[in-house]
Amino acid sequence: MSEIYDKYETVIGLEVHVQLSTASKAFCGDDARFGGDPNTHISTISLGHPGTLPMLNKKQVEYAVRLGLALGSEINQTNNFDRKNYFYADLPKGYQITQDLRPVCVGGNLTIRTESGEKSIRIHHIHMEEDAGKSIHDMAPRSSWIDLNRAGVPLLEIVTEPDMRSAAEVDAFMTGMRQLVRYLEVSDGNMQEGSMRCDCNVSVRLKGATTYGERCEIKNLNSMRYARQAIKYEVKRQIDLLERGGQVEQQTLNFDPTTGVTSPLRSKEDAHDYRYFPEPDLPPVIVTDDNLAQIQSELPPLPWELEAQFQTEFGLSEYDTKILTEEKATGLYFRALVAHTQHIKAAANLVINKILPYCQEQATPISAYPLSPQKLSAFISLIEDGKVSNTIAYQKLLPALLDSPTQEPLAMAQQLNLIQSADEDFLTQLVAEVIEANPDKVATYRKGKKGLLGFFMGEVMKRSRGKAEPKSTNALLRKMLDS
Ligand code: ADP
Ligand code: MG
């Protein structure tokens, strides 16, 4: 049975909506932030009262250009807006302001990484538009509620070429796009709050075919789990249909997460006629060469730039790199730390195993971690120079430093008596004690069971409270056991 499905290839193109994190809305000063009591972030302009005029939020254009430059798109320097007309209760104006024919960004691509390697997904275009309000259908049995706080919030719509071949690639694209918009600080990329959602265009074709199959568009998926479920269901539905001799009809579909099933919203025949026409109330927006140069020069380091640096220059593993570059703040913090220490791998371990969990627990941004890069570098050196054991440093010294962040690590280690000792008298005394306390084990060792050395090391460490310097201890133990 599954051979039937193996004959087919899945083809997916996305339309991703990204809500921009501007303070105010796209065409008026209303608060654009998520939340607030229903219908409080509104005004006569976002409600489209007659006689009101929109005024463009410059940030929307700047953010669009920032994203386009990061993706390698061509930037359209003369931007017009269009009206897309339709009637819906959550669209009080009766039209949405969008860009129909000349989007702000054209082309570009985003490289994604899945288990099967890297792949470049081409961007068809990115255009600016405004969001509609929200209809809430599950609050009362016979009525719908409308919240217009979201009406007029600025959006970018990113349209890809049909370059994805699996739900895993869709997942990787959405993850990569979320990371990028967060690096660029144009959106929080929060899917739960609807700041990022996607329409998935799905078709199937026989492997080796050179033309695409007919596609269906699944609307408004606001979680990756739903997107994966919806794609899986839709691919099976289309293949079953084709195998029965049927044909896929171009449709817009809705996905119901409670049933896991897609169902038609509308077919091609009753597709909307939006009667696009140029928005008469907004003059063209010109992005000058100077604007472009300025935005380009202010671009932050991009995720793939940090990844390349961490792997090639710093020699970190793919795993460490992924964690350290997931968020821009972490990547920049790590770079600052590496500027102060030669022990890069030790620094990576410290950030991954201690600093990130601490920040998560305390809900604090990494930039506000109490210990400065200089202090952390001194802390790492104490371990690397064999002055404090790794275990003791992590278990005792670090918590003590967090309690008194102004103290110097070396002074603190001395004060807490944590400095390891390679002093010969000190170590000889300890080793002698351990040999005396374990005559049976010593006999077994001397008969050839050399694996017991680890046991003796452990015993010496215990008696020294972690202060015996391991290398010297090891050498001394061998010497005294073998004599
Ligand atoms: P329209 O103009 O009807 O909206 P587009 O050509 O703009 O159609 O495509 C919209 C989206 O559908 C894009 O993301 C594109 O990649 C995707 N798409 C187009 N054709 C296919 C197909 N055969 N299978 C899957 N996705 C497709
Ligand atoms: Mg389209």
mmCIF file of all heavy atoms in Angstrom, residues 10-16 122 124-125 157-165 199-204 211-217 238 250 268, ligand 1:
data_model
loop_
_atom_site.group_PDB
_atom_site.id
_atom_site.type_symbol
_atom_site.label_atom_id
_atom_site.label_comp_id
_atom_site.label_asym_id
_atom_site.label_seq_id
_atom_site.Cartn_x
_atom_site.Cartn_y
_atom_site.Cartn_z
ATOM 1 N N THR A 10 5.847 15.384 -2.981
ATOM 2 C CA THR A 10 5.043 16.500 -2.468
ATOM 3 C C THR A 10 5.703 17.827 -2.877
ATOM 4 O O THR A 10 6.922 17.936 -2.846
ATOM 5 C CB THR A 10 4.993 16.436 -0.929
ATOM 6 O OG1 THR A 10 4.467 15.162 -0.558
ATOM 7 C CG2 THR A 10 4.128 17.532 -0.351
ATOM 8 N N VAL A 11 4.903 18.797 -3.259
ATOM 9 C CA VAL A 11 5.426 20.121 -3.630
ATOM 10 C C VAL A 11 4.693 21.166 -2.787
ATOM 11 O O VAL A 11 3.463 21.175 -2.739
ATOM 12 C CB VAL A 11 5.192 20.400 -5.128
ATOM 13 C CG1 VAL A 11 5.573 21.841 -5.478
ATOM 14 C CG2 VAL A 11 5.986 19.413 -5.983
ATOM 15 N N ILE A 12 5.450 22.017 -2.109
ATOM 16 C CA ILE A 12 4.816 23.004 -1.220
ATOM 17 C C ILE A 12 5.414 24.400 -1.432
ATOM 18 O O ILE A 12 6.635 24.552 -1.516
ATOM 19 C CB ILE A 12 4.995 22.613 0.271
ATOM 20 C CG1 ILE A 12 4.477 21.187 0.507
ATOM 21 C CG2 ILE A 12 4.260 23.590 1.183
ATOM 22 C CD1 ILE A 12 4.848 20.612 1.849
ATOM 23 N N GLY A 13 4.548 25.388 -1.535
ATOM 24 C CA GLY A 13 4.959 26.791 -1.526
ATOM 25 C C GLY A 13 4.209 27.490 -0.398
ATOM 26 O O GLY A 13 3.071 27.144 -0.094
ATOM 27 N N LEU A 14 4.858 28.466 0.233
ATOM 28 C CA LEU A 14 4.242 29.105 1.405
ATOM 29 C C LEU A 14 3.921 30.567 1.169
ATOM 30 O O LEU A 14 4.611 31.263 0.414
ATOM 31 C CB LEU A 14 5.194 29.032 2.606
ATOM 32 C CG LEU A 14 5.605 27.670 3.131
ATOM 33 C CD1 LEU A 14 6.561 27.852 4.304
ATOM 34 C CD2 LEU A 14 4.393 26.859 3.553
ATOM 35 N N GLU A 15 2.880 31.026 1.833
ATOM 36 C CA GLU A 15 2.629 32.449 1.983
ATOM 37 C C GLU A 15 2.660 32.717 3.488
ATOM 38 O O GLU A 15 1.759 32.295 4.201
ATOM 39 C CB GLU A 15 1.281 32.812 1.360
ATOM 40 C CG GLU A 15 1.316 32.693 -0.168
ATOM 41 C CD GLU A 15 -0.059 32.507 -0.796
ATOM 42 O OE1 GLU A 15 -0.535 31.366 -0.861
ATOM 43 O OE2 GLU A 15 -0.640 33.510 -1.217
ATOM 44 N N VAL A 16 3.736 33.360 3.932
ATOM 45 C CA VAL A 16 3.943 33.552 5.372
ATOM 46 C C VAL A 16 3.579 34.986 5.742
ATOM 47 O O VAL A 16 4.064 35.930 5.111
ATOM 48 C CB VAL A 16 5.419 33.290 5.755
ATOM 49 C CG1 VAL A 16 5.614 33.430 7.256
ATOM 50 C CG2 VAL A 16 5.862 31.920 5.271
ATOM 51 N N ARG A 122 13.754 29.568 -2.619
ATOM 52 C CA ARG A 122 13.657 30.873 -3.278
ATOM 53 C C ARG A 122 12.437 31.663 -2.786
ATOM 54 O O ARG A 122 11.356 31.102 -2.611
ATOM 55 C CB ARG A 122 13.558 30.690 -4.793
ATOM 56 C CG ARG A 122 14.854 30.195 -5.455
ATOM 57 C CD ARG A 122 14.601 29.800 -6.895
ATOM 58 N NE ARG A 122 13.609 28.716 -6.958
ATOM 59 C CZ ARG A 122 12.873 28.443 -8.038
ATOM 60 N NH1 ARG A 122 13.016 29.157 -9.138
ATOM 61 N NH2 ARG A 122 11.985 27.448 -8.007
ATOM 62 N N HIS A 124 9.683 34.342 -3.719
ATOM 63 C CA HIS A 124 9.101 34.951 -4.918
ATOM 64 C C HIS A 124 9.040 36.470 -4.732
ATOM 65 O O HIS A 124 9.551 37.229 -5.532
ATOM 66 C CB HIS A 124 7.722 34.362 -5.184
ATOM 67 C CG HIS A 124 7.074 34.908 -6.421
ATOM 68 N ND1 HIS A 124 6.270 36.022 -6.400
ATOM 69 C CD2 HIS A 124 7.165 34.520 -7.711
ATOM 70 C CE1 HIS A 124 5.878 36.289 -7.639
ATOM 71 N NE2 HIS A 124 6.396 35.396 -8.452
ATOM 72 N N HIS A 125 8.418 36.895 -3.645
ATOM 73 C CA HIS A 125 8.399 38.331 -3.321
ATOM 74 C C HIS A 125 7.951 38.540 -1.879
ATOM 75 O O HIS A 125 7.485 37.601 -1.228
ATOM 76 C CB HIS A 125 7.467 39.097 -4.278
ATOM 77 C CG HIS A 125 6.015 38.903 -3.964
ATOM 78 N ND1 HIS A 125 5.219 37.986 -4.598
ATOM 79 C CD2 HIS A 125 5.201 39.514 -3.044
ATOM 80 C CE1 HIS A 125 3.986 38.037 -4.100
ATOM 81 N NE2 HIS A 125 3.951 38.960 -3.162
ATOM 82 N N GLU A 157 3.929 40.012 3.884
ATOM 83 C CA GLU A 157 3.600 38.686 3.376
ATOM 84 C C GLU A 157 4.778 38.206 2.541
ATOM 85 O O GLU A 157 5.170 38.845 1.564
ATOM 86 C CB GLU A 157 2.319 38.696 2.539
ATOM 87 C CG GLU A 157 2.014 37.299 2.001
ATOM 88 C CD GLU A 157 0.655 37.158 1.323
ATOM 89 O OE1 GLU A 157 -0.274 37.910 1.678
ATOM 90 O OE2 GLU A 157 0.546 36.288 0.442
ATOM 91 N N ILE A 158 5.341 37.085 2.956
ATOM 92 C CA ILE A 158 6.492 36.505 2.254
ATOM 93 C C ILE A 158 5.975 35.336 1.422
ATOM 94 O O ILE A 158 5.429 34.384 1.972
ATOM 95 C CB ILE A 158 7.543 35.991 3.263
ATOM 96 C CG1 ILE A 158 7.964 37.115 4.207
ATOM 97 C CG2 ILE A 158 8.746 35.394 2.544
ATOM 98 C CD1 ILE A 158 8.520 36.618 5.529
ATOM 99 N N VAL A 159 6.119 35.428 0.117
ATOM 100 C CA VAL A 159 5.625 34.360 -0.759
ATOM 101 C C VAL A 159 6.830 33.605 -1.326
ATOM 102 O O VAL A 159 7.723 34.210 -1.923
ATOM 103 C CB VAL A 159 4.773 34.935 -1.910
ATOM 104 C CG1 VAL A 159 4.252 33.817 -2.804
ATOM 105 C CG2 VAL A 159 3.623 35.767 -1.357
ATOM 106 N N THR A 160 6.867 32.302 -1.110
ATOM 107 C CA THR A 160 8.000 31.514 -1.619
ATOM 108 C C THR A 160 7.658 30.894 -2.969
ATOM 109 O O THR A 160 6.501 30.813 -3.362
ATOM 110 C CB THR A 160 8.374 30.348 -0.676
ATOM 111 O OG1 THR A 160 7.410 29.295 -0.830
ATOM 112 C CG2 THR A 160 8.431 30.787 0.777
ATOM 113 N N GLU A 161 8.685 30.447 -3.666
ATOM 114 C CA GLU A 161 8.467 29.590 -4.831
ATOM 115 C C GLU A 161 8.081 28.202 -4.295
ATOM 116 O O GLU A 161 8.351 27.891 -3.130
ATOM 117 C CB GLU A 161 9.768 29.487 -5.648
ATOM 118 C CG GLU A 161 10.244 30.802 -6.243
ATOM 119 C CD GLU A 161 9.384 31.291 -7.407
ATOM 120 O OE1 GLU A 161 8.456 30.556 -7.837
ATOM 121 O OE2 GLU A 161 9.626 32.425 -7.879
ATOM 122 N N PRO A 162 7.472 27.361 -5.142
ATOM 123 C CA PRO A 162 7.080 26.020 -4.653
ATOM 124 C C PRO A 162 8.305 25.102 -4.537
ATOM 125 O O PRO A 162 8.420 24.118 -5.258
ATOM 126 C CB PRO A 162 6.089 25.523 -5.710
ATOM 127 C CG PRO A 162 6.344 26.331 -6.920
ATOM 128 C CD PRO A 162 6.980 27.615 -6.507
ATOM 129 N N ASP A 163 9.210 25.421 -3.628
ATOM 130 C CA ASP A 163 10.501 24.735 -3.546
ATOM 131 C C ASP A 163 10.591 23.706 -2.430
ATOM 132 O O ASP A 163 11.587 23.000 -2.322
ATOM 133 C CB ASP A 163 11.624 25.772 -3.323
ATOM 134 C CG ASP A 163 11.954 26.532 -4.601
ATOM 135 O OD1 ASP A 163 11.450 26.126 -5.677
ATOM 136 O OD2 ASP A 163 12.722 27.514 -4.518
ATOM 137 N N MET A 164 9.583 23.639 -1.574
ATOM 138 C CA MET A 164 9.678 22.691 -0.457
ATOM 139 C C MET A 164 9.070 21.355 -0.863
ATOM 140 O O MET A 164 8.140 21.302 -1.669
ATOM 141 C CB MET A 164 9.011 23.278 0.783
ATOM 142 C CG MET A 164 9.919 24.281 1.482
ATOM 143 S SD MET A 164 9.055 25.524 2.434
ATOM 144 C CE MET A 164 8.638 26.702 1.165
ATOM 145 N N ARG A 165 9.625 20.271 -0.311
ATOM 146 C CA ARG A 165 9.221 18.926 -0.727
ATOM 147 C C ARG A 165 8.694 18.074 0.423
ATOM 148 O O ARG A 165 8.401 16.902 0.249
ATOM 149 C CB ARG A 165 10.402 18.203 -1.405
ATOM 150 C CG ARG A 165 10.856 18.845 -2.727
ATOM 151 C CD ARG A 165 9.803 18.679 -3.829
ATOM 152 N NE ARG A 165 10.161 19.389 -5.056
ATOM 153 C CZ ARG A 165 9.768 20.632 -5.340
ATOM 154 N NH1 ARG A 165 9.008 21.310 -4.476
ATOM 155 N NH2 ARG A 165 10.111 21.199 -6.462
ATOM 156 N N ASP A 199 0.039 30.191 5.090
ATOM 157 C CA ASP A 199 -0.845 29.431 4.217
ATOM 158 C C ASP A 199 0.059 28.468 3.462
ATOM 159 O O ASP A 199 1.096 28.880 2.921
ATOM 160 C CB ASP A 199 -1.530 30.347 3.197
ATOM 161 C CG ASP A 199 -2.298 31.491 3.867
ATOM 162 O OD1 ASP A 199 -2.645 31.365 5.058
ATOM 163 O OD2 ASP A 199 -2.556 32.510 3.179
ATOM 164 N N CYS A 200 -0.322 27.180 3.440
ATOM 165 C CA CYS A 200 0.490 26.173 2.748
ATOM 166 C C CYS A 200 -0.184 25.786 1.444
ATOM 167 O O CYS A 200 -1.314 25.301 1.454
ATOM 168 C CB CYS A 200 0.619 24.908 3.591
ATOM 169 S SG CYS A 200 1.689 25.061 4.988
ATOM 170 N N ASN A 201 0.514 25.975 0.332
ATOM 171 C CA ASN A 201 0.020 25.507 -0.964
ATOM 172 C C ASN A 201 0.635 24.138 -1.221
ATOM 173 O O ASN A 201 1.867 24.010 -1.245
ATOM 174 C CB ASN A 201 0.441 26.469 -2.071
ATOM 175 C CG ASN A 201 -0.204 27.831 -1.878
ATOM 176 O OD1 ASN A 201 -1.303 28.069 -2.341
ATOM 177 N ND2 ASN A 201 0.473 28.714 -1.159
ATOM 178 N N VAL A 202 -0.221 23.142 -1.367
ATOM 179 C CA VAL A 202 0.253 21.764 -1.441
ATOM 180 C C VAL A 202 -0.209 21.114 -2.731
ATOM 181 O O VAL A 202 -1.390 21.225 -3.100
ATOM 182 C CB VAL A 202 -0.303 20.939 -0.249
ATOM 183 C CG1 VAL A 202 0.188 19.500 -0.317
ATOM 184 C CG2 VAL A 202 0.076 21.579 1.074
ATOM 185 N N SER A 203 0.715 20.449 -3.427
ATOM 186 C CA SER A 203 0.319 19.617 -4.563
ATOM 187 C C SER A 203 1.173 18.361 -4.553
ATOM 188 O O SER A 203 2.165 18.285 -3.823
ATOM 189 C CB SER A 203 0.491 20.367 -5.887
ATOM 190 O OG SER A 203 1.859 20.618 -6.131
ATOM 191 N N VAL A 204 0.779 17.373 -5.335
ATOM 192 C CA VAL A 204 1.602 16.163 -5.472
ATOM 193 C C VAL A 204 1.805 15.882 -6.955
ATOM 194 O O VAL A 204 1.032 16.352 -7.798
ATOM 195 C CB VAL A 204 0.950 14.928 -4.798
ATOM 196 C CG1 VAL A 204 0.774 15.153 -3.313
ATOM 197 C CG2 VAL A 204 -0.379 14.574 -5.456
ATOM 198 N N THR A 211 6.257 18.797 -14.648
ATOM 199 C CA THR A 211 5.314 19.880 -14.361
ATOM 200 C C THR A 211 4.670 19.635 -13.004
ATOM 201 O O THR A 211 4.638 18.507 -12.509
ATOM 202 C CB THR A 211 4.199 19.949 -15.435
ATOM 203 O OG1 THR A 211 3.614 18.655 -15.544
ATOM 204 C CG2 THR A 211 4.761 20.374 -16.775
ATOM 205 N N TYR A 212 4.186 20.723 -12.426
ATOM 206 C CA TYR A 212 3.555 20.610 -11.109
ATOM 207 C C TYR A 212 2.126 20.106 -11.221
ATOM 208 O O TYR A 212 1.455 20.315 -12.229
ATOM 209 C CB TYR A 212 3.535 21.979 -10.422
ATOM 210 C CG TYR A 212 4.897 22.477 -10.020
ATOM 211 C CD1 TYR A 212 5.294 23.768 -10.333
ATOM 212 C CD2 TYR A 212 5.774 21.659 -9.313
ATOM 213 C CE1 TYR A 212 6.542 24.248 -9.950
ATOM 214 C CE2 TYR A 212 7.030 22.126 -8.931
ATOM 215 C CZ TYR A 212 7.403 23.410 -9.260
ATOM 216 O OH TYR A 212 8.635 23.874 -8.874
ATOM 217 N N GLY A 213 1.658 19.493 -10.143
ATOM 218 C CA GLY A 213 0.263 19.099 -10.061
ATOM 219 C C GLY A 213 -0.604 20.280 -9.656
ATOM 220 O O GLY A 213 -0.100 21.359 -9.331
ATOM 221 N N GLU A 214 -1.911 20.077 -9.685
ATOM 222 C CA GLU A 214 -2.850 21.115 -9.233
ATOM 223 C C GLU A 214 -2.707 21.248 -7.715
ATOM 224 O O GLU A 214 -2.535 20.263 -7.014
ATOM 225 C CB GLU A 214 -4.272 20.685 -9.605
ATOM 226 C CG GLU A 214 -5.292 21.786 -9.525
ATOM 227 C CD GLU A 214 -5.050 22.907 -10.538
ATOM 228 O OE1 GLU A 214 -5.323 22.716 -11.733
ATOM 229 O OE2 GLU A 214 -4.560 23.974 -10.092
ATOM 230 N N ARG A 215 -2.781 22.496 -7.208
ATOM 231 C CA ARG A 215 -2.522 22.694 -5.780
ATOM 232 C C ARG A 215 -3.768 23.095 -5.004
ATOM 233 O O ARG A 215 -4.721 23.630 -5.567
ATOM 234 C CB ARG A 215 -1.480 23.775 -5.602
ATOM 235 C CG ARG A 215 -2.046 25.151 -5.862
ATOM 236 C CD ARG A 215 -0.957 26.199 -5.814
ATOM 237 N NE ARG A 215 -1.191 27.229 -6.788
ATOM 238 C CZ ARG A 215 -1.609 28.450 -6.467
ATOM 239 N NH1 ARG A 215 -1.869 28.762 -5.223
ATOM 240 N NH2 ARG A 215 -1.772 29.351 -7.403
ATOM 241 N N CYS A 216 -3.731 22.849 -3.710
ATOM 242 C CA CYS A 216 -4.735 23.374 -2.790
ATOM 243 C C CYS A 216 -4.010 24.248 -1.780
ATOM 244 O O CYS A 216 -2.846 24.014 -1.468
ATOM 245 C CB CYS A 216 -5.448 22.242 -2.063
ATOM 246 S SG CYS A 216 -6.567 21.359 -3.157
ATOM 247 N N GLU A 217 -4.718 25.242 -1.288
ATOM 248 C CA GLU A 217 -4.101 26.169 -0.341
ATOM 249 C C GLU A 217 -4.760 26.003 1.022
ATOM 250 O O GLU A 217 -5.964 26.204 1.158
ATOM 251 C CB GLU A 217 -4.295 27.604 -0.849
ATOM 252 C CG GLU A 217 -3.750 28.649 0.103
ATOM 253 C CD GLU A 217 -3.907 30.083 -0.432
ATOM 254 O OE1 GLU A 217 -4.502 30.252 -1.514
ATOM 255 O OE2 GLU A 217 -3.437 31.008 0.249
ATOM 256 N N GLN A 238 -4.861 13.910 -1.623
ATOM 257 C CA GLN A 238 -4.639 14.148 -3.063
ATOM 258 C C GLN A 238 -4.176 12.873 -3.766
ATOM 259 O O GLN A 238 -4.637 12.564 -4.873
ATOM 260 C CB GLN A 238 -3.614 15.275 -3.261
ATOM 261 C CG GLN A 238 -4.151 16.640 -2.824
ATOM 262 C CD GLN A 238 -3.183 17.786 -3.134
ATOM 263 O OE1 GLN A 238 -2.209 17.621 -3.875
ATOM 264 N NE2 GLN A 238 -3.456 18.959 -2.580
ATOM 265 N N GLN A 250 -8.318 22.887 -7.786
ATOM 266 C CA GLN A 250 -7.710 23.993 -7.043
ATOM 267 C C GLN A 250 -8.720 24.569 -6.055
ATOM 268 O O GLN A 250 -9.804 25.010 -6.458
ATOM 269 C CB GLN A 250 -7.224 25.076 -8.001
ATOM 270 C CG GLN A 250 -6.371 26.108 -7.266
ATOM 271 C CD GLN A 250 -5.748 27.125 -8.191
ATOM 272 O OE1 GLN A 250 -5.537 26.849 -9.368
ATOM 273 N NE2 GLN A 250 -5.471 28.292 -7.669
ATOM 274 N N LYS A 268 -11.969 27.344 -6.982
ATOM 275 C CA LYS A 268 -11.435 28.357 -7.880
ATOM 276 C C LYS A 268 -12.567 29.185 -8.498
ATOM 277 O O LYS A 268 -12.454 30.404 -8.656
ATOM 278 C CB LYS A 268 -10.626 27.670 -8.977
ATOM 279 C CG LYS A 268 -9.705 28.609 -9.722
ATOM 280 C CD LYS A 268 -8.910 27.845 -10.764
ATOM 281 C CE LYS A 268 -7.982 28.750 -11.536
ATOM 282 N NZ LYS A 268 -7.278 27.990 -12.590
HETATM 283 P P1 ADP B 1 -1.721 33.030 -7.010
HETATM 284 O O1 ADP B 1 -1.242 34.128 -7.888
HETATM 285 O O2 ADP B 1 -2.880 32.282 -7.531
HETATM 286 O O3 ADP B 1 -1.828 33.387 -5.577
HETATM 287 P P2 ADP B 1 0.931 32.134 -6.954
HETATM 288 O O4 ADP B 1 1.606 31.701 -8.193
HETATM 289 O O5 ADP B 1 1.198 33.497 -6.468
HETATM 290 O O6 ADP B 1 -0.587 31.916 -7.084
HETATM 291 O O7 ADP B 1 1.346 31.114 -5.842
HETATM 292 C C1 ADP B 1 0.941 31.260 -4.534
HETATM 293 C C2 ADP B 1 1.687 30.260 -3.728
HETATM 294 O O8 ADP B 1 1.430 28.940 -4.204
HETATM 295 C C3 ADP B 1 3.185 30.413 -3.772
HETATM 296 O O9 ADP B 1 3.695 30.200 -2.474
HETATM 297 C C4 ADP B 1 3.648 29.313 -4.693
HETATM 298 O O10 ADP B 1 4.936 28.854 -4.341
HETATM 299 C C5 ADP B 1 2.634 28.233 -4.420
HETATM 300 N N1 ADP B 1 2.420 27.326 -5.540
HETATM 301 C C6 ADP B 1 2.197 27.665 -6.831
HETATM 302 N N2 ADP B 1 2.010 26.539 -7.565
HETATM 303 C C7 ADP B 1 2.120 25.482 -6.734
HETATM 304 C C8 ADP B 1 2.000 24.057 -6.869
HETATM 305 N N3 ADP B 1 1.728 23.493 -8.047
HETATM 306 N N4 ADP B 1 2.166 23.293 -5.790
HETATM 307 C C9 ADP B 1 2.422 23.823 -4.596
HETATM 308 N N5 ADP B 1 2.523 25.146 -4.384
HETATM 309 C C10 ADP B 1 2.376 25.977 -5.421
#
